[in-house]
Amino acid sequence: MLQASREVYSSLRRRFKGDLLRPGESGFEEARAIWNGMVARVPGLIARCADVGDVQNAVRAASEAGILTAVRCGGHSLAGFSTCDGGLVIDLSRMRQVTVDPEARRARFSGGCLLGSIDTATQKAGLVFPSGVVSHTGAAGLVLGGGTGWLTRQFGLSCDNVEGFTVVTADGSVVRADAQENPDLFWALRGGGGNFGVVTAFEVKLHPLTSVVLAEGLSPEAGIRPLLELWRDFMADAPIELKWNIDLRLAPHTEQVPVELRGQPVAASWLIWTGDMDDAQQYFRPALSLCDPESVRRRTLPFLELQTMADAAFPHGRRYYTKSGYFPSLGDSTIDRLVDAVSTIPSSETQIELAYLGGVAGRIGATETAFGDRSAPFIMNLLANWPEASDDSAHISWVRGLFNQLRPAMKPGVYVNFMSGDEQDRVPEAYHERWDRMVAVKSHYDPDNFFLLNQNISPGKTTAKNS
Ligand SMILES: Cc1cc2nc3c(=O)[nH]c(=O)nc-3n(C[C@H](O)[C@H](O)[C@H](O)COP(=O)(O)OP(=O)(O)OC[C@H]3O[C@@H](n4cnc5c(N)ncnc54)[C@H](O)[C@@H]3O)c2cc1C
């Protein structure tokens, strides 16, 4: 691999406009780090591209040298797919241009953008692109996998709002994918992750929105079961303007948390209302009725504040491990297991995240995009988050143990962006009835599986497993 990275370096050296970083050189150490501190790899070369031409040259040189290649936007892959040992990283962090057309309510952004750069640019025109909840997340990885966030119920998944992609494919050509041109690739890129090429530009729809109403509150341990029962029934008929997420966790030791709840198992409710401000209360009141009144807070929030309020809770460099799944319904025995699990949580930042999909995202048919089946509205993400390597096994085994207990009640399927690096066997499950079509598109655009470091679809294998 060392020889291959030398070959790529000498091939790119004279024509590359961006930066080529090798181990030992200034800037390499910072450039090699990704968000998940569990994944500390040392690539042989980081090619930080300045433009589409650099991406094409890097793909061609890597393909000729036969070097293992990772593609990086924001580096937030929980699985650590945006780095590798000894190979090449195609780093898009210099490609962060965003242009907004306020009249057409459209934007075009480059393949290295973080969510925050898009939000800042679109808000200048009073518009939003529906994306995720942490502004330092990369847009490319998030959108290509699907993209859920506060606005998913009202405006759909991020990938549902993409109208066109510009892609550098495995042979180094630049290809457009939209509803008319290369429609199969357009279909596959909306949920299929990094399997098909390096996306250098996204063209997306925007929606008018500048502020939301946020309500939050904590339910004590004894109130978790009734809260989950209320949430389950309430969300089935809730309007699309309401998003209600619940985190099961140990309450933080902060001033805002009532003293008797600090460090105790709680359910933290986060409600976002995007409709008419006067209508918020009629939904917030019943939803917050099971929270400790002292913990309840409501306020109107500028959109940019909403999009950054969780940033500090997920810092770069900590250790993270996750497992995720969908429930078609939240049965009493699943609720029992979730309630029991909160008291066994191994650390203060670890949490069970629960979201209810439905709304506009849930109305799109299972075969319309590669993201697929949106019919199971309850999404659960077990997210362990801790600082020290010595605590790895306690956290990983807690996540795995709880996941195995809950698994029988889940619907087959998983959101690829919430998968860990040890779950390749679940990729066919993620795409189940869409698997053969995904394989066909992969086989056409990347027959040698050059784009391997992702929730990978091997070209040429068409038998669905685990579906
Ligand atoms: C703190 C945090 C918060 C999150 N919040 C949300 C959320 O609210 N909603 C949600 O849906 N998900 C969320 N996620 C999951 C997130 O969607 C994935 O981790 C996603 O992969 C991150 O994208 P990235 O560009 O930062 O990742 P990277 O690590 O850079 O890349 C991830 C994958 O995408 C591929 N890729 C990256 N850029 C390109 C490109 N330009 N072209 C082709 N392939 C590319 C990579 O090769 C890799 O396989 C969150 C993750 C974190 C860490």
Side-chain angles (χ1 to χ4, degrees):
M1 200 58 80
L2 212 59
Q3 178 55 30
S5 68
R6 278 197 209 107
E7 262 176 55
V8 176
Y9 177 77
S10 22
S11 157
L12 291 179
R13 200 157 51 104
R14 284 196 188 81
R15 52 201 167 127
F16 204 73
K17 291 173 236 112
D19 314 305
L20 293 172
L21 301 166
R22 291 176 297 173
E25 290 180 351
S26 155
F28 179 85
E29 276 308 301
E30 301 83 64
R32 85 178 170 91
I34 64 164
W35 173 81
N36 189 349
M38 284 255 284
V39 188
R41 298 193 180 125
V42 187
L45 179 66
I46 299 173
R48 192 171 273 165
C49 302
D51 59 16
V52 178
D54 273 357
V55 176
Q56 290 181 279
N57 286 330
V59 167
R60 287 193 183 116
S63 176
E64 269 161 36
I67 193 172
L68 180 67
T69 301
V71 178
R72 181 185 307 168
C73 170
H76 276 44
S77 160
L78 288 140
F81 285 135
S82 41
T83 186
C84 55
D85 275 325
L88 171 71
V89 173
I90 297 179
D91 177 341
L92 302 173
S93 62
R94 278 183 57 167
M95 296 173 62
R96 293 204 167 145
Q97 299 78 6
V98 186
T99 51
V100 178
D101 180 342
E103 271 75 53
R105 292 186 180 165
R106 298 288 188 276
R108 179 185 170 91
F109 59 83
S110 307
C113 280
L114 304 184
L115 300 186
S117 26
I118 299 165
D119 291 337
T120 307
T122 56
Q123 274 297 278
K124 285 186 185 142
L127 298 168
V128 294
F129 171 61
S131 66
V133 303
V134 172
S135 76
H136 49 74
T137 312
L142 179 134
V143 175
L144 291 169
T148 66
W150 294 120
L151 306 180
T152 306
R153 284 172 51 78
Q154 192 171 9
F155 301 128
L157 298 173
S158 306
C159 71
D160 301 335
N161 287 274
V162 180
E163 294 181 321
F165 299 91
T166 305
V167 191
V168 174
T169 54
D171 62 1
S173 7
V174 179
V175 166
R176 184 174 167 77
D178 60 25
Q180 280 77 42
E181 229 174 304
N182 301 307
D184 259 13
L185 182 59
F186 181 55
W187 173 85
L189 285 167
R190 288 173 296 154
N195 268 289
F196 307 100
V198 183
V199 176
T200 55
F202 295 79
E203 287 152 42
V204 300
K205 283 189 284 192
L206 305 176
H207 307 268
L209 186 77
T210 52
S211 64
V212 302
V213 190
L214 162 73
E216 55 183 302
L218 299 173
S219 302
E221 188 169 12
I224 297 178
R225 183 190 313 275
L227 181 86
L228 292 179
E229 288 165 355
L230 170 71
W231 179 66
R232 166 184 72 190
D233 301 335
F234 187 91
M235 285 312 292
D237 299 319
I240 61 171
E241 293 88 349
L242 182 75
K243 187 88 166 73
W244 178 2
N245 291 356
I246 296 178
D247 297 334
L248 305 179
R249 56 170 300 166
L250 303 176
H253 289 267
T254 56
E255 243 180 64
Q256 297 90 330
V257 174
V259 179
E260 65 283 8
L261 293 186
R262 292 180 196 165
Q264 299 302 308
V266 291
S269 284
W270 301 90
L271 290 106
I272 296 295
W273 175 256
T274 51
D276 194 296
M277 301 296 169
D278 297 336
D279 293 336
Q281 278 315 347
Q282 64 173 297
Y283 298 103
F284 286 174
R285 206 172 299 115
L288 296 167
S289 62
L290 294 169
C291 294
D292 179 318
E294 252 194 86
S295 71
V296 171
R297 276 173 190 77
R298 297 181 187 86
R299 62 196 166 115
T300 300
L301 210 59
F303 180 71
L304 287 179
E305 206 179 318
L306 171 75
Q307 289 299 96
T308 48
M309 72 179 181
D311 283 8
F314 302 99
H316 292 74
R318 279 175 70 98
R319 308 177 80 77
Y320 297 91
Y321 184 77
T322 188
K323 272 192 188 290
S324 176
Y326 302 116
F327 297 101
S329 57
L330 210 56
D332 291 342
S333 60
T334 301
I335 291 182
D336 285 345
R337 291 208 162 89
L338 290 169
V339 171
D340 291 346
V342 198
S343 56
T344 66
I345 276 183
S347 59
S348 57
E349 307 301 327
T350 294
Q351 55 192 23
I352 302 169
E353 301 176 335
L354 297 167
Y356 190 94
L357 194 64
V360 170
R363 291 179 201 151
I364 292 173
T367 53
E368 273 186 55
T369 62
F371 181 87
D373 187 1
R374 298 132 185 263
S375 65
F378 299 95
I379 307 181
M380 183 202 65
N381 188 30
L382 305 175
L383 181 60
N385 167 348
W386 69 101
E388 301 295 340
S390 52
D391 292 326
D392 284 3
S393 78
H395 285 81
I396 292 169
S397 58
W398 181 81
V399 171
R400 286 183 182 155
L402 180 55
F403 179 79
N404 288 338
Q405 282 180 36
L406 294 166
R407 177 78 153 155
M410 288 177 194
K411 181 166 187 173
V414 55
Y415 174 30
V416 292
N417 279 351
F418 288 168
M419 288 169 75
S420 279
D422 56 2
E423 297 193 292
Q424 266 318 326
D425 58 331
R426 290 185 78 197
V427 179
E429 178 194 334
Y431 295 112
H432 38 115
E433 73 269 25
R434 296 166 309 284
W435 179 250
D436 285 354
R437 189 172 176 192
M438 297 292 277
V439 173
V441 181
K442 176 76 175 179
S443 308
H444 181 74
Y445 286 97
D446 186 16
D448 299 323
N449 208 3
F450 174 77
F451 297 106
L452 171 71
L453 293 174
N454 42 55
Q455 284 78 19
N456 194 244
I457 297 157
S458 295
K461 285 194 197 162
T462 51
T463 314
K465 288 179 262 163
N466 302 330
S467 53

